[in-house]
PDB file of all heavy atoms in Angstrom:
ATOM      1  N   ALA A   1       0.847  -1.192   0.000  1.00  0.00           N
ATOM      2  CA  ALA A   1       0.000   0.000   0.000  1.00  0.00           C
ATOM      3  C   ALA A   1       0.878   1.236   0.000  1.00  0.00           C
ATOM      4  O   ALA A   1       2.019   1.190   0.468  1.00  0.00           O
ATOM      5  CB  ALA A   1      -0.922   0.011   1.217  1.00  0.00           C
ATOM      6  N   ALA A   2       0.333   2.336  -0.512  1.00  0.00           N
ATOM      7  CA  ALA A   2       1.053   3.609  -0.522  1.00  0.00           C
ATOM      8  C   ALA A   2       0.062   4.740  -0.291  1.00  0.00           C
ATOM      9  O   ALA A   2      -1.140   4.598  -0.538  1.00  0.00           O
ATOM     10  CB  ALA A   2       1.803   3.808  -1.842  1.00  0.00           C
ATOM     11  N   ILE A   3       0.613   5.860   0.153  1.00  0.00           N
ATOM     12  CA  ILE A   3      -0.216   7.033   0.420  1.00  0.00           C
ATOM     13  C   ILE A   3       0.559   8.276   0.017  1.00  0.00           C
ATOM     14  O   ILE A   3       1.759   8.386   0.265  1.00  0.00           O
ATOM     15  CB  ILE A   3      -0.639   7.073   1.914  1.00  0.00           C
ATOM     16  CG1 ILE A   3      -1.648   8.178   2.186  1.00  0.00           C
ATOM     17  CG2 ILE A   3       0.581   7.190   2.830  1.00  0.00           C
ATOM     18  CD1 ILE A   3      -2.328   8.052   3.548  1.00  0.00           C
ATOM     19  N   SER A   4      -0.125   9.203  -0.634  1.00  0.00           N
ATOM     20  CA  SER A   4       0.510  10.452  -1.043  1.00  0.00           C
ATOM     21  C   SER A   4       0.834  11.301   0.175  1.00  0.00           C
ATOM     22  O   SER A   4       0.354  11.040   1.275  1.00  0.00           O
ATOM     23  CB  SER A   4      -0.414  11.211  -1.989  1.00  0.00           C
ATOM     24  OG  SER A   4      -1.619  11.561  -1.310  1.00  0.00           O
ATOM     25  N   TRP A   5       1.632  12.347  -0.041  1.00  0.00           N
ATOM     26  CA  TRP A   5       2.092  13.113   1.110  1.00  0.00           C
ATOM     27  C   TRP A   5       0.955  13.867   1.795  1.00  0.00           C
ATOM     28  O   TRP A   5       1.005  14.100   3.002  1.00  0.00           O
ATOM     29  CB  TRP A   5       3.202  14.079   0.708  1.00  0.00           C
ATOM     30  CG  TRP A   5       2.767  15.295  -0.037  1.00  0.00           C
ATOM     31  CD1 TRP A   5       2.562  15.415  -1.378  1.00  0.00           C
ATOM     32  CD2 TRP A   5       2.522  16.593   0.512  1.00  0.00           C
ATOM     33  NE1 TRP A   5       2.185  16.694  -1.697  1.00  0.00           N
ATOM     34  CE2 TRP A   5       2.157  17.444  -0.556  1.00  0.00           C
ATOM     35  CE3 TRP A   5       2.564  17.131   1.806  1.00  0.00           C
ATOM     36  CZ2 TRP A   5       1.852  18.787  -0.365  1.00  0.00           C
ATOM     37  CZ3 TRP A   5       2.263  18.465   1.991  1.00  0.00           C
ATOM     38  CH2 TRP A   5       1.905  19.272   0.905  1.00  0.00           C
ATOM     39  N   THR A   6      -0.100  14.189   1.044  1.00  0.00           N
ATOM     40  CA  THR A   6      -1.251  14.854   1.656  1.00  0.00           C
ATOM     41  C   THR A   6      -2.210  13.857   2.281  1.00  0.00           C
ATOM     42  O   THR A   6      -3.091  14.247   3.061  1.00  0.00           O
ATOM     43  CB  THR A   6      -2.026  15.653   0.610  1.00  0.00           C
ATOM     44  OG1 THR A   6      -2.550  14.738  -0.376  1.00  0.00           O
ATOM     45  CG2 THR A   6      -1.134  16.693  -0.054  1.00  0.00           C
ATOM     46  N   GLY A   7      -2.072  12.600   1.906  1.00  0.00           N
ATOM     47  CA  GLY A   7      -3.022  11.593   2.368  1.00  0.00           C
ATOM     48  C   GLY A   7      -4.252  11.477   1.486  1.00  0.00           C
ATOM     49  O   GLY A   7      -5.105  10.624   1.722  1.00  0.00           O
ATOM     50  N   ALA A   8      -4.329  12.308   0.452  1.00  0.00           N
ATOM     51  CA  ALA A   8      -5.524  12.334  -0.387  1.00  0.00           C
ATOM     52  C   ALA A   8      -5.624  11.120  -1.299  1.00  0.00           C
ATOM     53  O   ALA A   8      -6.716  10.717  -1.691  1.00  0.00           O
ATOM     54  CB  ALA A   8      -5.543  13.606  -1.219  1.00  0.00           C
ATOM     55  N   ASN A   9      -4.470  10.558  -1.654  1.00  0.00           N
ATOM     56  CA  ASN A   9      -4.453   9.429  -2.580  1.00  0.00           C
ATOM     57  C   ASN A   9      -3.838   8.198  -1.920  1.00  0.00           C
ATOM     58  O   ASN A   9      -2.783   8.298  -1.294  1.00  0.00           O
ATOM     59  CB  ASN A   9      -3.655   9.782  -3.831  1.00  0.00           C
ATOM     60  CG  ASN A   9      -4.264  10.943  -4.586  1.00  0.00           C
ATOM     61  OD1 ASN A   9      -5.435  10.896  -4.947  1.00  0.00           O
ATOM     62  ND2 ASN A   9      -3.495  11.980  -4.790  1.00  0.00           N
ATOM     63  N   THR A  10      -4.505   7.083  -2.063  1.00  0.00           N
ATOM     64  CA  THR A  10      -4.002   5.819  -1.545  1.00  0.00           C
ATOM     65  C   THR A  10      -4.013   4.770  -2.644  1.00  0.00           C
ATOM     66  O   THR A  10      -4.799   4.853  -3.593  1.00  0.00           O
ATOM     67  CB  THR A  10      -4.830   5.315  -0.355  1.00  0.00           C
ATOM     68  OG1 THR A  10      -6.203   5.206  -0.751  1.00  0.00           O
ATOM     69  CG2 THR A  10      -4.725   6.264   0.832  1.00  0.00           C
ATOM     70  N   TYR A  11      -3.125   3.814  -2.516  1.00  0.00           N
ATOM     71  CA  TYR A  11      -2.955   2.769  -3.516  1.00  0.00           C
ATOM     72  C   TYR A  11      -2.787   1.441  -2.773  1.00  0.00           C
ATOM     73  O   TYR A  11      -2.132   1.395  -1.733  1.00  0.00           O
ATOM     74  CB  TYR A  11      -1.698   3.044  -4.359  1.00  0.00           C
ATOM     75  CG  TYR A  11      -1.609   4.462  -4.867  1.00  0.00           C
ATOM     76  CD1 TYR A  11      -1.057   5.470  -4.078  1.00  0.00           C
ATOM     77  CD2 TYR A  11      -2.075   4.803  -6.135  1.00  0.00           C
ATOM     78  CE1 TYR A  11      -0.975   6.772  -4.528  1.00  0.00           C
ATOM     79  CE2 TYR A  11      -1.992   6.107  -6.597  1.00  0.00           C
ATOM     80  CZ  TYR A  11      -1.443   7.087  -5.781  1.00  0.00           C
ATOM     81  OH  TYR A  11      -1.374   8.382  -6.230  1.00  0.00           O
ATOM     82  N   TYR A  12      -3.359   0.388  -3.340  1.00  0.00           N
ATOM     83  CA  TYR A  12      -3.299  -0.915  -2.684  1.00  0.00           C
ATOM     84  C   TYR A  12      -3.007  -2.022  -3.685  1.00  0.00           C
ATOM     85  O   TYR A  12      -3.441  -1.961  -4.839  1.00  0.00           O
ATOM     86  CB  TYR A  12      -4.627  -1.237  -1.993  1.00  0.00           C
ATOM     87  CG  TYR A  12      -4.956  -0.310  -0.856  1.00  0.00           C
ATOM     88  CD1 TYR A  12      -5.760   0.806  -1.036  1.00  0.00           C
ATOM     89  CD2 TYR A  12      -4.439  -0.547   0.421  1.00  0.00           C
ATOM     90  CE1 TYR A  12      -6.046   1.666   0.001  1.00  0.00           C
ATOM     91  CE2 TYR A  12      -4.722   0.312   1.479  1.00  0.00           C
ATOM     92  CZ  TYR A  12      -5.525   1.415   1.257  1.00  0.00           C
ATOM     93  OH  TYR A  12      -5.805   2.264   2.305  1.00  0.00           O
ATOM     94  N   ALA A  13      -2.309  -3.028  -3.218  1.00  0.00           N
ATOM     95  CA  ALA A  13      -2.177  -4.246  -4.006  1.00  0.00           C
ATOM     96  C   ALA A  13      -3.536  -4.945  -4.020  1.00  0.00           C
ATOM     97  O   ALA A  13      -4.289  -4.868  -3.041  1.00  0.00           O
ATOM     98  CB  ALA A  13      -1.127  -5.158  -3.372  1.00  0.00           C
ATOM     99  N   ASP A  14      -3.833  -5.617  -5.103  1.00  0.00           N
ATOM    100  CA  ASP A  14      -5.121  -6.306  -5.217  1.00  0.00           C
ATOM    101  C   ASP A  14      -5.327  -7.303  -4.083  1.00  0.00           C
ATOM    102  O   ASP A  14      -6.443  -7.509  -3.619  1.00  0.00           O
ATOM    103  CB  ASP A  14      -5.213  -7.028  -6.558  1.00  0.00           C
ATOM    104  CG  ASP A  14      -5.374  -6.053  -7.722  1.00  0.00           C
ATOM    105  OD1 ASP A  14      -5.745  -4.889  -7.480  1.00  0.00           O
ATOM    106  OD2 ASP A  14      -5.131  -6.472  -8.867  1.00  0.00           O
ATOM    107  N   SER A  15      -4.253  -7.920  -3.646  1.00  0.00           N
ATOM    108  CA  SER A  15      -4.355  -8.968  -2.629  1.00  0.00           C
ATOM    109  C   SER A  15      -4.780  -8.456  -1.265  1.00  0.00           C
ATOM    110  O   SER A  15      -5.214  -9.247  -0.409  1.00  0.00           O
ATOM    111  CB  SER A  15      -3.025  -9.706  -2.508  1.00  0.00           C
ATOM    112  OG  SER A  15      -1.992  -8.794  -2.163  1.00  0.00           O
ATOM    113  N   VAL A  16      -4.651  -7.144  -1.040  1.00  0.00           N
ATOM    114  CA  VAL A  16      -4.992  -6.596   0.288  1.00  0.00           C
ATOM    115  C   VAL A  16      -6.141  -5.595   0.228  1.00  0.00           C
ATOM    116  O   VAL A  16      -6.622  -5.150   1.281  1.00  0.00           O
ATOM    117  CB  VAL A  16      -3.772  -5.935   0.963  1.00  0.00           C
ATOM    118  CG1 VAL A  16      -2.589  -6.900   1.006  1.00  0.00           C
ATOM    119  CG2 VAL A  16      -3.386  -4.632   0.275  1.00  0.00           C
ATOM    120  N   LYS A  17      -6.571  -5.259  -0.975  1.00  0.00           N
ATOM    121  CA  LYS A  17      -7.625  -4.260  -1.132  1.00  0.00           C
ATOM    122  C   LYS A  17      -8.881  -4.703  -0.397  1.00  0.00           C
ATOM    123  O   LYS A  17      -9.321  -5.836  -0.523  1.00  0.00           O
ATOM    124  CB  LYS A  17      -7.906  -4.063  -2.618  1.00  0.00           C
ATOM    125  CG  LYS A  17      -8.611  -2.764  -2.958  1.00  0.00           C
ATOM    126  CD  LYS A  17      -8.683  -2.588  -4.466  1.00  0.00           C
ATOM    127  CE  LYS A  17      -7.320  -2.407  -5.092  1.00  0.00           C
ATOM    128  NZ  LYS A  17      -7.384  -2.153  -6.545  1.00  0.00           N
ATOM    129  N   GLY A  18      -9.446  -3.792   0.388  1.00  0.00           N
ATOM    130  CA  GLY A  18     -10.641  -4.098   1.158  1.00  0.00           C
ATOM    131  C   GLY A  18     -10.359  -4.668   2.532  1.00  0.00           C
ATOM    132  O   GLY A  18     -11.252  -4.733   3.381  1.00  0.00           O
ATOM    133  N   ARG A  19      -9.114  -5.084   2.759  1.00  0.00           N
ATOM    134  CA  ARG A  19      -8.737  -5.630   4.081  1.00  0.00           C
ATOM    135  C   ARG A  19      -7.756  -4.731   4.813  1.00  0.00           C
ATOM    136  O   ARG A  19      -7.776  -4.642   6.040  1.00  0.00           O
ATOM    137  CB  ARG A  19      -8.107  -7.017   3.917  1.00  0.00           C
ATOM    138  CG  ARG A  19      -9.022  -8.047   3.297  1.00  0.00           C
ATOM    139  CD  ARG A  19      -8.396  -9.444   3.347  1.00  0.00           C
ATOM    140  NE  ARG A  19      -7.158  -9.530   2.604  1.00  0.00           N
ATOM    141  CZ  ARG A  19      -5.994  -9.932   3.114  1.00  0.00           C
ATOM    142  NH1 ARG A  19      -5.916 -10.280   4.402  1.00  0.00           N
ATOM    143  NH2 ARG A  19      -4.908  -9.998   2.355  1.00  0.00           N
ATOM    144  N   PHE A  20      -6.853  -4.092   4.061  1.00  0.00           N
ATOM    145  CA  PHE A  20      -5.829  -3.240   4.649  1.00  0.00           C
ATOM    146  C   PHE A  20      -6.157  -1.774   4.374  1.00  0.00           C
ATOM    147  O   PHE A  20      -6.698  -1.438   3.320  1.00  0.00           O
ATOM    148  CB  PHE A  20      -4.456  -3.536   4.045  1.00  0.00           C
ATOM    149  CG  PHE A  20      -3.873  -4.877   4.424  1.00  0.00           C
ATOM    150  CD1 PHE A  20      -4.619  -5.857   5.053  1.00  0.00           C
ATOM    151  CD2 PHE A  20      -2.548  -5.163   4.103  1.00  0.00           C
ATOM    152  CE1 PHE A  20      -4.066  -7.080   5.380  1.00  0.00           C
ATOM    153  CE2 PHE A  20      -1.987  -6.379   4.420  1.00  0.00           C
ATOM    154  CZ  PHE A  20      -2.757  -7.336   5.062  1.00  0.00           C
ATOM    155  N   THR A  21      -5.779  -0.919   5.321  1.00  0.00           N
ATOM    156  CA  THR A  21      -5.969   0.518   5.154  1.00  0.00           C
ATOM    157  C   THR A  21      -4.702   1.246   5.581  1.00  0.00           C
ATOM    158  O   THR A  21      -4.206   1.038   6.690  1.00  0.00           O
ATOM    159  CB  THR A  21      -7.143   1.028   5.999  1.00  0.00           C
ATOM    160  OG1 THR A  21      -8.333   0.321   5.639  1.00  0.00           O
ATOM    161  CG2 THR A  21      -7.352   2.520   5.767  1.00  0.00           C
ATOM    162  N   ILE A  22      -4.195   2.088   4.687  1.00  0.00           N
ATOM    163  CA  ILE A  22      -3.030   2.888   5.004  1.00  0.00           C
ATOM    164  C   ILE A  22      -3.482   4.291   5.385  1.00  0.00           C
ATOM    165  O   ILE A  22      -4.420   4.836   4.806  1.00  0.00           O
ATOM    166  CB  ILE A  22      -2.033   2.909   3.818  1.00  0.00           C
ATOM    167  CG1 ILE A  22      -0.711   3.549   4.225  1.00  0.00           C
ATOM    168  CG2 ILE A  22      -2.637   3.604   2.596  1.00  0.00           C
ATOM    169  CD1 ILE A  22       0.392   3.392   3.171  1.00  0.00           C
ATOM    170  N   SER A  23      -2.800   4.869   6.366  1.00  0.00           N
ATOM    171  CA  SER A  23      -3.126   6.230   6.803  1.00  0.00           C
ATOM    172  C   SER A  23      -1.851   6.892   7.301  1.00  0.00           C
ATOM    173  O   SER A  23      -0.848   6.208   7.564  1.00  0.00           O
ATOM    174  CB  SER A  23      -4.187   6.191   7.907  1.00  0.00           C
ATOM    175  OG  SER A  23      -3.713   5.479   9.038  1.00  0.00           O
ATOM    176  N   ARG A  24      -1.901   8.201   7.442  1.00  0.00           N
ATOM    177  CA  ARG A  24      -0.710   8.907   7.917  1.00  0.00           C
ATOM    178  C   ARG A  24      -1.115  10.063   8.813  1.00  0.00           C
ATOM    179  O   ARG A  24      -2.225  10.591   8.722  1.00  0.00           O
ATOM    180  CB  ARG A  24       0.126   9.401   6.743  1.00  0.00           C
ATOM    181  CG  ARG A  24      -0.507  10.459   5.889  1.00  0.00           C
ATOM    182  CD  ARG A  24       0.363  10.753   4.668  1.00  0.00           C
ATOM    183  NE  ARG A  24       1.654  11.308   5.062  1.00  0.00           N
ATOM    184  CZ  ARG A  24       2.750  11.254   4.283  1.00  0.00           C
ATOM    185  NH1 ARG A  24       2.687  10.664   3.109  1.00  0.00           N
ATOM    186  NH2 ARG A  24       3.875  11.795   4.688  1.00  0.00           N
TER     187      ARG A  24
END
């Protein structure tokens, strides 16, 4: 998973989408 510096954009691998959440 990844998150932009503002937190506005997040990206996930298909294998974790819907189960994992990234935040900052």
Side-chain angles (χ1 to χ4, degrees):
I3 187 167
S4 63
W5 75 275
T6 63
N9 298 305
T10 56
Y11 312 85
Y12 295 95
D14 289 342
S15 59
V16 307
K17 200 173 294 184
R19 299 188 298 124
F20 291 12
T21 302
I22 190 170
S23 61
R24 66 186 296 158

